Structure formats: C-alpha cells, structure tokens
Amino acid sequence: MAKIAFILLCHKDPDAIIKQAQSLTAVGDYMSIHYDARSDLDDFKKIKAALSNNPNVTFARKRIKCGWGEWSLVEATIQAVQSALDAFPRATHFYMLSGDCMAIKSAEYAHEFLDRRDCDYIESYDYFQSDWIKTGWKEERLIYRHWFNERTQKRRFYAMFQVQKSLGMTRKVPQDLEVMIGSQWWCLRRRTVEWILDFAKRRKDVMQFFRSTWIPDETFFQTLVRHLVPEQEIENRTLTFLMFSDYGLPIVFYNDHYDLLLSQDFLFARKISPEAMELRRRLGVLYSSEGQRFKISNEGRSLHKFLTEKGRMGRRFGSRFWEKESSLGRERELLIVVSKKWHVAKRLVERFRQSTDIPCIDYLFNEESCVLPDLGGIQSTMGKRHRHRRALMRMLFDYYETDRLIVCMDPEDLDLISDFANDRSRTRILEVDCLFSDEYLIGHAMRVGLAGERTPPETLQRLLPTVRNDMMHESDQIKDANFDNLLRIRESDPRQVNAAAVATFLSVPQDVAQEIVDLDHLYAD
C-alpha cells in the first residue's frame, strides 16, 4: 500500500504548518519540512518543538534562503527530499506541497488512487514546442545565465541580461537533455527520486546549467523525470488542484468552496486562504476520515471561468473607425427579439414570418450556422459579424429591399442591443420572458460546460441558483438600460396581454397579433 512522504516547502504561519503536519501524518504518512532560512528563526524553533515527538516528521538538514525564480527553491526541495529518503525507508511516494496546500480527499482515497497505477505524476511539456509559457521570456530563461533575483535585485538582473545579450554570451542546453516545463507540484515514486538524486551527483554539468536558469523549479524535475523514466510510466498531470486568473495570479479558495473542492479529480488543492478557518478545519479532519466516497464531477475550472467572466462587462465608449457615419438610416426600423431560450424566440419569429412580410433573421450574432445571404464575405465568420455589425445590418436592409427588419439576440449581448438602440434609426425591442425549470437549467449548464453527465445531483443543485440568478441578472440589465421602445411578453401572462405587446412591436392589428401568440407550444422546451 502507498505510503506518502510529503515534501513541504514553507516560509510563514508556523501554527498552520504544525496543524498541517499533524493532520497528514496522523494516518501513517510522513512529512519532510523545509522552512525558509529567510524566515523568523523563532517560528522555525516553534515548529520543531511542536513536532519533535512525531516520528513521522523530519526536517531538511540545511535551511536555504529561498527566492522566487531562483535555483534556491530547487535546492531546498532536494534537501527536503534527501532527508525524507533517509528518514522514511517505507515511503513509496514523495509529494510536493506548500504551506498553502491542503488535502481535498481522505488518506484512504489517496492511497488507493496511487496504488492503482505504478507511475509518476508530473506535468512535463516540451519547453520550446508547447504553449505552457503564455507570455514573457521563453528561450531567454535557458540560454542566458541568471545569477540575481529578478524581484529583489531587478536592476542587476536586467543589467546582466543586457550585457550577455549585447555580447552574444549565449549557451546551449546539455546535448542529451530535452528541456521540459510544468507545474512544480508533483508526486514521484521512491525509485524516481533516487534516480534524480543519483543523476544530480553524477552530472555536474547539468546541475551547473540549471543553477543559473531562471525559474528552474518549473523545469528541473520536469526535465529529469522525462530523461530518466520511461514515458509509459509518467502521467502528465499534477495531483494538486490549482487555478490562475487572467492576470496570472493563483485563485484563492474560501469556506464556501468545500463541496466544490471535494468534487475535483485531485488529491490536494492550492491556495487555501489563511482566513478560511472553517474550510481548513474541515479539510484537516477529512484526511484521516474513513469510508468517504467522493463523486468526481471536475467542473471547477469551467464554473470559475463562467463566474469570473460574468464579473467583467466590456463597454464601448466610442464608435469604431469603420462605423463612423454608418447609421442604419433614419427611415429604417430594426426590431430586436431578445430571449435566452433561443428555440422560443425562433418559434415566435417563424410566426412573424407567416403573418407579416417583414424579413426575419435568427441569432446571427450567436450562431455561426445562422442562414444569411452572401454579402461579399462580411457575414462569413462570427468575428466579422460582430466587428462590422452596423455595416452588416445595412447590407441586410439593402439585400431584402426593406425598411423593416427583425433579428434575434441573446440578452447577454447587451452591448450589441445598446449599440443598435443608440443608432439614428428606429429600434424596438421585444423581450421574451420565459420560465426556467430545473430541467432546462441543468440542460443549459451541460451545454455550456458547467456540468457533465457525471456531475452528481447534489452538485447540480448547488449550481442551479447560480445559473438562474445569472439569467435574472441579464434580464435586469436590459430593464435597467431604460431603452425607449422596450416591450415584453411573459410566459406567465395571459395571451391577450402578450398580444397587445406584439401588436405594438410589429405595428399590426390586435387580431393579427392574437393569432401569432395563440400557439399552445410557444414556450415548450
């Protein structure tokens, strides 16, 4: 059975480290701690004193002063790994952690997970061919020598870089190595870490190379594991759940993330907020629990993306250059049907086609497959339709030789709706207010990737209020925009009331509008 030796790199919060060590070793696992030499000595003494009677805890023999992006982080890791190898001969796996990490599964589950397959878990992508590095330096990290810390000695760091660059002082990667890159949070087998430490003793040239690379904790172990271990024995992933914002900052988890974290296909999570005391308490108890069953749905990243994107609303403060003096025309009238349920809006618009001679177009700004005439290519891609929205609409008016046009839009497209509402042409908006059953919301969540076939019912129930509130928020935004000619029909209203709104929207007699809304399955899902 798997026995884990946790390699803990930390530099603060001694009380949390003590609790973390006690929790993870309570079920027979081990821990080797490296406490940053830059940190308070009294804090380190406090940790050692509190854990001195715990036979499953050891400490790196040498404390290293660590700096972000430096070799010192790898050196500290090696020190802690060597101590763990010496102190815990029964350890089968070595798992990298930080003080901000906590278990999101029980030890029982973690051991069974590691026993299923004899492999190493580490992200390792080709350094030059992959897009793991999104922005900033890539080749420069390796071919130049970096002796100073970029954060604490910025002027020296960039001065040395410029000197080397101007003099052409580049170097080559050791010939037999293919440099890889990935997350520093890995889980390796005992045999693998023994091979790495043996390789480090034999290959001084490789060690010298990595000592002066920039951010080597993302490349050193990742490269050596691929160099030493057969590919079929490597699982290219981390077992630690972590996410980053659009700005490259790690996402922090709080008390209300407990259920979400447990449903992810990972053993640990990073970063847990220091203020999330209840979350830390519950996760601390979890690791030593028995008989726990975990339903893995893995929707964490898609849910976070969904929520954060809703928090940013793009606004335009001026017309684009191709839209200057590009009004649809004072004499024209654009009729916009707004509905979150696209099938309901399409059903309603089909009734408009049958009862009027007004040209109607479905969700042209949302569906690539929306049927449009050939307008010289401006209609060919969704990007072009959005960029040249007014030009596209003018061409549609011209194509159909009409002064009245009906289009469908999603309530999410508030910027599009506002843009057309502010045009010199006349714009009328008809919002179709539908009821949303739980079944529909679940289907919507699956269509947009917030949930999947394996998402457990309890997770779906937690998700439903978020999705429902989001749809209500979109409708509220339309109301708050105070459009001049906004009309609304509601699924819950009598047909006669809705017919009056349709009559005004289309400028047709009441009996024609009544015939349009007299459709039993208009709102059916």
Side-chain angles (χ1 to χ4, degrees):
M1 185 178 182
K3 299 277 284 185
I4 306 172
F6 295 104
I7 308 302
L8 181 66
L9 265 57
C10 49
H11 64 279
K12 62 180 181 180
D13 203 349
D15 292 330
I17 292 168
I18 293 168
K19 291 178 182 177
Q20 188 178 22
Q22 291 170 339
S23 172
L24 295 180
T25 60
V27 292
D29 286 322
Y30 311 107
M31 179 173 286
S32 179
I33 300 174
H34 178 276
Y35 195 72
D36 196 335
R38 297 183 189 276
S39 300
D40 192 276
L41 179 59
D42 290 336
D43 287 345
F44 177 61
K45 289 179 178 178
K46 179 179 181 179
I47 296 169
K48 288 201 74 172
L51 300 173
S52 61
N53 294 325
N54 190 330
N56 288 4
V57 175
T58 190
F59 293 86
R61 293 177 183 173
K62 181 181 179 182
R63 292 175 64 205
I64 308 297
K65 291 183 178 180
C66 296
W68 184 87
E70 292 182 6
W71 169 256
S72 55
L73 287 173
V74 178
E75 188 177 2
T77 304
I78 292 174
Q79 289 286 335
V81 167
Q82 186 63 66
S83 294
L85 280 170
D86 295 341
F88 311 124
R90 295 180 60 196
T92 61
H93 293 76
F94 293 72
Y95 196 123
M96 267 286 292
L97 289 178
S98 76
D100 295 323
C101 297
M102 291 200 73
I104 57 174
K105 298 291 186 294
S106 64
E108 182 180 63
Y109 180 97
H111 295 154
E112 290 175 358
F113 181 96
L114 295 176
D115 283 335
R116 285 178 213 156
R117 186 181 173 198
D118 185 22
C119 68
D120 298 303
Y121 294 89
I122 183 169
E123 275 190 353
S124 53
Y125 297 96
D126 186 284
Y127 187 90
F128 295 101
Q129 300 301 320
S130 72
D131 62 347
W132 201 87
I133 298 175
K134 301 297 184 185
T135 59
W137 282 356
K138 193 168 190 177
E139 186 182 45
E140 293 87 348
R141 291 193 190 186
L142 306 180
I143 65 173
Y144 296 109
R145 299 159 183 84
H146 303 279
W147 295 296
F148 300 103
N149 186 290
E150 192 267 345
R151 292 189 173 181
T152 60
Q153 299 171 294
K154 189 179 291 288
R155 184 172 297 179
R156 291 181 177 180
F157 178 89
Y158 286 106
M160 288 303 302
F161 167 71
Q162 291 298 336
V163 168
Q164 293 177 81
K165 185 177 180 180
S166 61
L167 297 177
M169 295 174 60
T170 59
R171 60 177 177 174
K172 294 182 178 180
V173 175
Q175 286 188 350
D176 59 334
L177 287 187
E178 182 180 359
V179 179
M180 311 297 287
I181 190 168
S183 168
Q184 70 182 105
W185 311 111
W186 41 253
C187 178
L188 304 177
R189 295 167 295 175
R190 185 182 191 91
R191 183 189 67 179
T192 302
V193 296
E194 289 175 340
W195 284 354
I196 290 172
L197 294 188
D198 180 65
F199 182 89
K201 292 175 183 177
R202 290 186 290 106
R203 293 292 301 272
K204 301 299 182 183
D205 60 321
V206 173
M207 299 298 284
Q208 188 62 37
F209 171 78
F210 278 106
R211 282 180 186 276
S212 54
T213 58
W214 190 40
I215 321 182
D217 53 301
E218 294 179 349
T219 55
F220 178 77
F221 289 97
Q222 296 77 0
T223 299
L224 295 196
V225 169
R226 283 285 176 183
H227 184 73
L228 298 169
V229 178
E231 184 176 0
Q232 63 269 23
E233 295 181 23
I234 301 173
E235 185 72 26
N236 190 3
R237 61 164 294 189
T238 175
L239 296 180
T240 299
F241 181 59
L242 65 161
M243 296 190 297
F244 291 89
S245 71
D246 293 345
Y247 310 102
L249 299 175
I251 304 302
V252 179
F253 299 108
Y254 296 93
N255 288 335
D256 56 351
H257 287 127
Y258 180 80
D259 292 323
L260 181 144
L261 291 175
L262 266 60
S263 66
Q264 306 311 306
D265 188 20
F266 296 87
L267 303 184
F268 281 76
R270 183 180 189 274
K271 287 184 157 188
I272 308 298
S273 170
E275 289 80 31
M277 302 305 295
E278 179 62 13
L279 177 60
R280 286 180 170 271
R281 183 193 67 78
R282 296 177 73 183
L283 292 179
V285 172
L286 175 68
Y287 194 70
S288 59
S289 63
E290 295 182 357
Q292 286 272 2
R293 292 294 174 263
F294 300 90
K295 295 182 180 180
I296 307 301
S297 55
N298 231 24
E299 78 286 355
R301 285 190 170 87
S302 58
L303 178 59
H304 179 266
K305 183 175 185 288
F306 169 78
L307 292 173
T308 53
E309 283 184 349
K310 293 301 175 186
R312 293 190 297 275
M313 291 179 285
R315 294 292 185 183
R316 289 177 49 197
F317 296 97
S319 59
R320 296 182 173 93
F321 72 91
W322 61 80
E323 291 182 340
K324 291 179 180 178
E325 302 301 318
S326 62
S327 169
L328 303 185
R330 293 184 185 277
E331 74 284 2
R332 287 172 169 166
E333 188 173 58
L334 180 64
L335 308 175
I336 303 174
V337 177
V338 178
S339 177
K340 196 65 182 179
K341 288 190 176 181
W342 294 3
H343 60 282
V344 174
K346 290 179 180 180
R347 207 174 284 150
L348 180 63
V349 165
E350 183 57 32
R351 301 285 285 179
F352 292 169
R353 289 190 184 100
Q354 297 168 5
S355 303
T356 72
D357 58 357
I358 307 173
C360 302
I361 301 172
D362 294 336
Y363 287 84
L364 74 165
F365 293 109
N366 304 98
E367 289 185 306
E368 194 92 46
S369 59
C370 176
V371 178
L372 292 171
D374 186 355
L375 302 173
I378 193 173
Q379 84 295 339
S380 59
T381 67
M382 196 64 68
K384 287 183 178 179
R385 295 178 199 176
H386 279 265
R387 286 196 301 273
H388 308 295
R389 59 186 72 171
R390 293 194 187 185
L392 171 64
M393 207 62 70
R394 283 202 318 276
M395 294 174 77
L396 287 170
F397 275 107
D398 292 338
Y399 178 86
Y400 289 109
E401 298 180 350
T402 182
D403 288 329
R404 304 185 78 203
L405 186 67
I406 298 173
V407 297
C408 297
M409 293 189 188
D410 192 289
E412 187 180 56
D413 297 329
L414 185 62
D415 63 328
L416 281 170
I417 300 169
S418 299
D419 196 6
F420 289 120
N422 291 327
D423 189 79
R424 289 199 294 263
S425 63
R426 297 186 301 276
T427 303
R428 292 184 186 174
I429 302 166
L430 178 68
E431 185 184 10
V432 184
D433 192 348
C434 301
L435 301 177
F436 298 104
S437 66
D438 287 355
E439 290 74 19
Y440 175 84
L441 293 177
I442 290 171
H444 177 76
M446 290 183 176
R447 286 191 293 275
V448 299
L450 298 180
E453 294 295 333
R454 299 172 60 190
T455 302
E458 54 268 33
T459 301
L460 290 173
Q461 290 305 313
R462 294 195 306 272
L463 188 60
L464 289 181
T466 301
V467 179
R468 191 184 300 277
N469 288 337
D470 178 69
M471 292 185 176
M472 292 174 61
H473 176 66
E474 289 177 350
S475 181
D476 287 340
Q477 284 185 293
I478 292 175
K479 295 183 182 73
D480 294 339
N482 295 319
F483 295 121
D484 290 338
N485 298 302
L486 175 63
L487 300 157
R488 186 174 289 106
I489 63 172
R490 297 180 175 87
E491 182 176 352
S492 57
D493 281 355
R495 291 182 182 180
Q496 188 175 357
V497 174
N498 288 337
V502 170
T504 304
F505 178 69
L506 296 176
S507 299
V508 297
Q510 180 75 17
D511 60 331
V512 175
Q514 191 70 51
E515 183 180 349
I516 290 173
V517 300
D518 281 340
L519 184 65
D520 292 334
H521 63 281
L522 177 61
Y523 297 97
D525 292 329

